[in-house]
PDB file of all heavy atoms in Angstrom:
ATOM      1  N   GLN A 229      73.218  21.812-218.506  1.00  0.00           N
ATOM      2  CA  GLN A 229      73.390  23.229-218.815  1.00  0.00           C
ATOM      3  C   GLN A 229      72.522  23.642-219.994  1.00  0.00           C
ATOM      4  O   GLN A 229      72.330  22.805-220.907  1.00  0.00           O
ATOM      5  CB  GLN A 229      74.840  23.494-219.187  1.00  0.00           C
ATOM      6  CG  GLN A 229      75.806  23.296-218.022  1.00  0.00           C
ATOM      7  CD  GLN A 229      75.467  24.168-216.836  1.00  0.00           C
ATOM      8  OE1 GLN A 229      75.398  25.295-216.896  1.00  0.00           O
ATOM      9  NE2 GLN A 229      75.257  23.471-215.625  1.00  0.00           N
ATOM     10  N   GLY A 230      72.052  24.864-220.010  1.00  0.00           N
ATOM     11  CA  GLY A 230      71.311  25.385-221.166  1.00  0.00           C
ATOM     12  C   GLY A 230      71.989  25.210-222.451  1.00  0.00           C
ATOM     13  O   GLY A 230      71.373  24.852-223.489  1.00  0.00           O
ATOM     14  N   SER A 231      73.347  25.403-222.491  1.00  0.00           N
ATOM     15  CA  SER A 231      74.108  25.257-223.764  1.00  0.00           C
ATOM     16  C   SER A 231      74.088  23.877-224.319  1.00  0.00           C
ATOM     17  O   SER A 231      74.424  23.656-225.467  1.00  0.00           O
ATOM     18  CB  SER A 231      75.522  25.710-223.452  1.00  0.00           C
ATOM     19  OG  SER A 231      76.151  24.896-222.498  1.00  0.00           O
ATOM     20  N   TRP A 232      73.624  22.851-223.436  1.00  0.00           N
ATOM     21  CA  TRP A 232      73.582  21.470-223.945  1.00  0.00           C
ATOM     22  C   TRP A 232      72.297  21.215-224.708  1.00  0.00           C
ATOM     23  O   TRP A 232      72.106  20.189-225.356  1.00  0.00           O
ATOM     24  CB  TRP A 232      73.640  20.446-222.760  1.00  0.00           C
ATOM     25  CG  TRP A 232      74.859  20.508-221.979  1.00  0.00           C
ATOM     26  CD1 TRP A 232      75.854  21.377-221.971  1.00  0.00           C
ATOM     27  CD2 TRP A 232      75.207  19.599-220.936  1.00  0.00           C
ATOM     28  NE1 TRP A 232      76.814  21.150-221.038  1.00  0.00           N
ATOM     29  CE2 TRP A 232      76.435  20.017-220.315  1.00  0.00           C
ATOM     30  CE3 TRP A 232      74.598  18.472-220.398  1.00  0.00           C
ATOM     31  CZ2 TRP A 232      77.057  19.358-219.339  1.00  0.00           C
ATOM     32  CZ3 TRP A 232      75.169  17.766-219.340  1.00  0.00           C
ATOM     33  CH2 TRP A 232      76.401  18.200-218.821  1.00  0.00           C
ATOM     34  N   LEU A 233      71.374  22.176-224.665  1.00  0.00           N
ATOM     35  CA  LEU A 233      69.974  21.860-225.183  1.00  0.00           C
ATOM     36  C   LEU A 233      69.874  22.208-226.606  1.00  0.00           C
ATOM     37  O   LEU A 233      70.495  23.220-227.048  1.00  0.00           O
ATOM     38  CB  LEU A 233      68.913  22.584-224.388  1.00  0.00           C
ATOM     39  CG  LEU A 233      68.884  22.434-222.864  1.00  0.00           C
ATOM     40  CD1 LEU A 233      67.686  23.208-222.305  1.00  0.00           C
ATOM     41  CD2 LEU A 233      68.655  20.932-222.556  1.00  0.00           C
ATOM     42  N   LYS A 234      69.039  21.486-227.330  1.00  0.00           N
ATOM     43  CA  LYS A 234      68.618  21.859-228.716  1.00  0.00           C
ATOM     44  C   LYS A 234      67.675  23.042-228.480  1.00  0.00           C
ATOM     45  O   LYS A 234      66.842  23.045-227.567  1.00  0.00           O
ATOM     46  CB  LYS A 234      67.923  20.645-229.275  1.00  0.00           C
ATOM     47  CG  LYS A 234      67.320  20.797-230.610  1.00  0.00           C
ATOM     48  CD  LYS A 234      66.899  19.361-230.975  1.00  0.00           C
ATOM     49  CE  LYS A 234      65.802  19.301-231.978  1.00  0.00           C
ATOM     50  NZ  LYS A 234      65.452  17.921-232.380  1.00  0.00           N
ATOM     51  N   ALA A 235      67.715  24.015-229.364  1.00  0.00           N
ATOM     52  CA  ALA A 235      66.801  25.135-229.268  1.00  0.00           C
ATOM     53  C   ALA A 235      65.389  24.694-229.280  1.00  0.00           C
ATOM     54  O   ALA A 235      65.022  23.887-230.180  1.00  0.00           O
ATOM     55  CB  ALA A 235      67.069  26.199-230.302  1.00  0.00           C
ATOM     56  N   GLY A 236      64.520  25.084-228.362  1.00  0.00           N
ATOM     57  CA  GLY A 236      63.149  24.721-228.380  1.00  0.00           C
ATOM     58  C   GLY A 236      62.823  23.350-227.688  1.00  0.00           C
ATOM     59  O   GLY A 236      61.680  22.868-227.765  1.00  0.00           O
ATOM     60  N   ALA A 237      63.841  22.795-227.042  1.00  0.00           N
ATOM     61  CA  ALA A 237      63.614  21.490-226.391  1.00  0.00           C
ATOM     62  C   ALA A 237      62.605  21.680-225.186  1.00  0.00           C
ATOM     63  O   ALA A 237      62.502  22.761-224.703  1.00  0.00           O
ATOM     64  CB  ALA A 237      64.932  20.903-225.860  1.00  0.00           C
ATOM     65  N   VAL A 238      61.920  20.514-224.831  1.00  0.00           N
ATOM     66  CA  VAL A 238      61.145  20.564-223.646  1.00  0.00           C
ATOM     67  C   VAL A 238      61.922  19.901-222.529  1.00  0.00           C
ATOM     68  O   VAL A 238      62.525  18.851-222.688  1.00  0.00           O
ATOM     69  CB  VAL A 238      59.855  19.777-223.923  1.00  0.00           C
ATOM     70  CG1 VAL A 238      58.982  19.580-222.666  1.00  0.00           C
ATOM     71  CG2 VAL A 238      59.036  20.373-225.076  1.00  0.00           C
ATOM     72  N   VAL A 239      61.844  20.603-221.338  1.00  0.00           N
ATOM     73  CA  VAL A 239      62.693  20.079-220.235  1.00  0.00           C
ATOM     74  C   VAL A 239      61.817  19.677-219.060  1.00  0.00           C
ATOM     75  O   VAL A 239      61.031  20.606-218.542  1.00  0.00           O
ATOM     76  CB  VAL A 239      63.721  21.095-219.796  1.00  0.00           C
ATOM     77  CG1 VAL A 239      64.473  20.619-218.613  1.00  0.00           C
ATOM     78  CG2 VAL A 239      64.690  21.420-220.939  1.00  0.00           C
ATOM     79  N   ILE A 240      61.826  18.447-218.666  1.00  0.00           N
ATOM     80  CA  ILE A 240      61.130  17.997-217.452  1.00  0.00           C
ATOM     81  C   ILE A 240      62.208  17.688-216.457  1.00  0.00           C
ATOM     82  O   ILE A 240      62.997  16.702-216.529  1.00  0.00           O
ATOM     83  CB  ILE A 240      60.206  16.721-217.783  1.00  0.00           C
ATOM     84  CG1 ILE A 240      59.291  16.973-218.940  1.00  0.00           C
ATOM     85  CG2 ILE A 240      59.536  16.309-216.526  1.00  0.00           C
ATOM     86  CD1 ILE A 240      58.155  17.970-218.653  1.00  0.00           C
ATOM     87  N   ASP A 241      62.226  18.469-215.386  1.00  0.00           N
ATOM     88  CA  ASP A 241      63.248  18.349-214.353  1.00  0.00           C
ATOM     89  C   ASP A 241      62.673  17.610-213.091  1.00  0.00           C
ATOM     90  O   ASP A 241      61.933  18.278-212.384  1.00  0.00           O
ATOM     91  CB  ASP A 241      63.868  19.751-213.968  1.00  0.00           C
ATOM     92  CG  ASP A 241      65.111  19.677-213.202  1.00  0.00           C
ATOM     93  OD1 ASP A 241      65.437  18.577-212.719  1.00  0.00           O
ATOM     94  OD2 ASP A 241      65.670  20.782-212.930  1.00  0.00           O
TER      95      ASP A 241
END
Side-chain angles (χ1 to χ4, degrees):
Q229 299 300 306
S231 59
W232 300 7
L233 303 182
K234 175 170 157 178
V238 173
V239 177
I240 305 292
D241 190 352

